[in-house]
Amino acid sequence: DFGPLLPTHTWLAAMLCGIKPGGYIPFHTDVPAHAEATRIHVVISTNPQCWSFHDGVWSQLTVGMCYTMDQTKEHASINLGTATRFHLIVDTPTTSED
């Protein structure tokens, strides 16, 4: 849990990611687009059959919560439910005066 994202935080990049029912994001790692950035997942919608894998652990994430993720570690997601899962993914500076 990273806490709230305040409007004063600097956002380096952001994307909305949806996974339709039966869909998945395969296991992968990402090369950071920005040096010294922290990746935050803001859970907008999910269902009890959505799972996220990060650094060796499968988890179910909670709507309204923010989670940090090291994108250089192996991660994946799957939606076995009947509703689309949406996350807002934000890269913000690791060291910030915010």
Side-chain angles (χ1 to χ4, degrees):
D1 173 25
F2 192 75
L5 286 176
L6 302 175
T8 59
H9 279 73
T10 301
W11 292 16
L12 302 170
M15 71 175 154
L16 184 62
C17 178
I19 303 176
K20 293 181 180 182
Y24 64 94
I25 298 172
F27 289 95
H28 68 285
T29 59
D30 296 316
V31 176
H34 303 279
E36 300 299 321
T38 298
R39 178 151 293 173
I40 302 166
H41 282 247
V42 182
V43 184
I44 297 170
S45 67
T46 189
N47 67 68
Q49 296 301 318
C50 286
W51 294 89
S52 294
F53 178 88
H54 180 255
D55 196 23
V57 177
W58 283 101
S59 301
Q60 290 183 298
L61 307 182
T62 303
V63 170
M65 298 298 290
C66 300
Y67 299 87
T68 58
M69 188 191 84
D70 182 345
Q71 63 204 18
T72 65
K73 295 187 178 185
E74 188 174 48
H75 54 281
S77 295
I78 190 164
N79 182 355
L80 301 172
T82 59
T84 301
R85 182 213 82 166
F86 286 103
H87 283 192
L88 175 64
I89 302 168
V90 179
D91 287 345
T92 187
T94 299
T95 55
S96 174
E97 296 180 22
D98 296 335

